[in-house]
Amino acid sequence: MIDSSFRTAWIWKDGAFIPWEDANIHVMSHVVHYGSSVFEGIRCYETPEGPAFFRLRDHLRRLRESAHIYQMPLEHGADDLAEASFELFRRNGMREGYLRPLVIRGAGALGLNPTASPVETWLMAWPWGRYLGSSALEEGVDACVSTWFRPAPNTFPSLAKAGGNYLNSQLMKMEAVRNGYAEGIAVGPGGLVSEGSGQNVFLVKGGEVLTPALDGTMLDGITRNTVIALCGDLGVPIRETRVPREMLYTADEIFFTGTAAELTPVRSVDRIPVGEGVGPITRALQTAYMDLVRGRSPDVRGWRDVIPQKAKVGAA
Ligand SMILES: Cc1ncc(COP(=O)(O)O)c(C=O)c1O
């Protein structure tokens, strides 16, 4: 039985709202067998202007790109998906939470070639608290270096947020939790630091912020991009670079970024404490991030999409 905290009244499918209990797919759907899906994760926060999605348009752009990489024709434009997302939150009475757009290959044929299986687009949402535990943002989390590597470039396309990629993430996450850690950090096939199972990773060393450069082994995180911009705003030097594993042990500060994880400090790696605990640059960036998503600082880049209180006439 699904955990009731994920339950809402409505789920959207290809233009129609359907009751949560009717939102089913057939066991012969291509996606169930071969992981043929692409998806997104977007947070909506209560702000003084009302509930607002953070970087909705950028997430919808990445969804389209992920679908394009897997040659899944996406019938719905960004405006339609944005309107449907607003309406989903209004209908479910949600003012905060996590939006999950999901594009799958449905039931059609079971050969590996997915093109004979129809593309279905779903939108669902649920309330989601702190992804890495209730005290994660304040106190930080314990991480390990995973024994699982991220896939090599030109194996699985890391820039696509595709269901199948998350089998690797599941192995990382289960290993970490089994050994008493909140999260794993993987290296890529070349042995350099890549990313967490569902987060990008940043280090601070000598007053400079470092993050692994996009090398075909990690997702181009939207929170990562936000934090790079915030470093600019705060005048903190930032560099995308190659990060050897051992720098995780010598860094002054480390943190994860992700829509779900937000900006979570890492307080130890492989049981080795990171610096002096949660450091000042991590804290400053975390405050700037939370102020931005919660509408406590000006939205100079147009990243907050406030949910209009009434549906547009004619919208789904
Ligand atoms: C593997 C992986 N890396 C990084 C991220 C962070 O991406 P974003 O900041 O766009 O949520 C995620 C989260 O979706 C992820 O699943």
Side-chain angles (χ1 to χ4, degrees):
M1 215 18 215
I2 190 161
D3 177 340
S4 61
S5 62
F6 293 102
R7 194 187 175 109
T8 56
W10 298 100
I11 284 180
W12 181 95
K13 186 200 173 198
D14 286 322
F17 285 92
I18 55 180
W20 191 90
E21 49 278 1
D22 297 337
N24 301 311
I25 60 167
H26 199 279
V27 71
M28 293 193 74
S29 297
H30 199 269
V31 61
V32 177
H33 300 253
Y34 306 122
S36 29
S37 69
V38 297
F39 66 100
E40 270 305 322
I42 305 150
R43 272 194 193 262
C44 174
Y45 293 90
E46 184 72 272
T47 77
E49 286 80 45
F53 288 110
F54 188 64
R55 301 195 65 173
L56 176 63
R57 300 288 169 162
D58 293 316
H59 283 279
L60 292 175
R61 183 178 317 126
R62 190 170 65 186
L63 181 72
R64 178 159 295 279
E65 289 175 359
S66 300
H68 191 61
I69 288 168
Y70 277 99
Q71 299 165 52
M72 301 168 97
L74 197 53
E75 269 179 38
H76 313 279
D79 288 345
D80 291 347
L81 290 176
E83 273 308 318
S85 304
F86 295 151
E87 182 60 12
L88 183 70
F89 268 59
R90 283 191 296 257
R91 283 198 186 207
N92 283 328
M94 291 176 65
R95 297 184 66 86
E96 287 228 334
Y98 188 80
L99 170 70
R100 167 58 52 80
L102 174 69
V103 181
I104 63 170
R105 287 280 183 184
L110 280 163
L112 271 181
N113 185 349
T115 55
S117 296
V119 173
E120 299 173 7
T121 304
W122 298 77
L123 296 175
M124 61 210 86
W126 57 82
W128 226 4
R130 299 273 173 263
Y131 178 68
L132 291 173
S134 54
S135 58
L137 293 200
E138 293 73 35
E139 294 169 14
V141 294
D142 301 307
C144 60
V145 175
S146 181
T147 64
W148 293 100
F149 290 10
R150 294 308 274 184
N154 210 27
T155 57
F156 293 90
S158 293
L159 292 182
K161 195 167 166 64
N165 289 4
Y166 284 81
L167 287 170
N168 174 266
S169 292
Q170 289 176 45
L171 291 168
M172 287 172 64
K173 184 78 184 186
M174 287 191 294
E175 178 188 56
V177 171
R178 198 170 56 239
N179 292 324
Y181 301 98
E183 193 50 89
I185 300 170
V187 297
L192 297 170
V193 173
S194 176
E195 64 175 345
S197 71
Q199 309 84 12
N200 292 110
V201 64
F202 284 74
L203 295 79
V204 181
K205 197 157 169 56
E208 188 183 27
V209 178
L210 305 172
T211 194
L214 297 179
D215 62 354
T217 70
M218 74 197 75
L219 190 69
D220 183 4
I222 289 168
T223 319
R224 174 185 185 275
N225 176 272
T226 302
V227 166
I228 291 171
L230 290 175
C231 284
D233 294 353
L234 297 181
V236 179
I238 162 83
R239 198 153 48 92
E240 297 174 65
T241 184
R242 287 144 69 92
V243 177
R245 169 179 178 166
E246 56 273 27
M247 220 182 250
L248 295 171
Y249 307 127
T250 60
D252 303 321
E253 305 177 30
I254 300 179
F255 57 90
F256 285 127
T257 64
T259 298
E262 300 169 305
L263 198 156
T264 301
V266 176
R267 63 183 175 196
S268 71
V269 178
D270 294 338
R271 307 263 180 247
I272 300 171
V274 176
E276 309 281 305
V278 180
I281 294 182
T282 302
R283 203 53 98 195
L285 287 167
Q286 185 189 55
T287 301
Y289 182 74
M290 294 316 291
D291 284 351
L292 182 58
V293 297
R294 291 207 170 275
R296 294 188 292 248
S297 60
D299 182 18
V300 291
R301 297 179 178 89
W303 279 345
R304 293 193 297 256
D305 249 309
V306 177
I307 300 182
Q309 285 318 296
K310 287 220 174 64
K312 253 194 196 167
V313 178

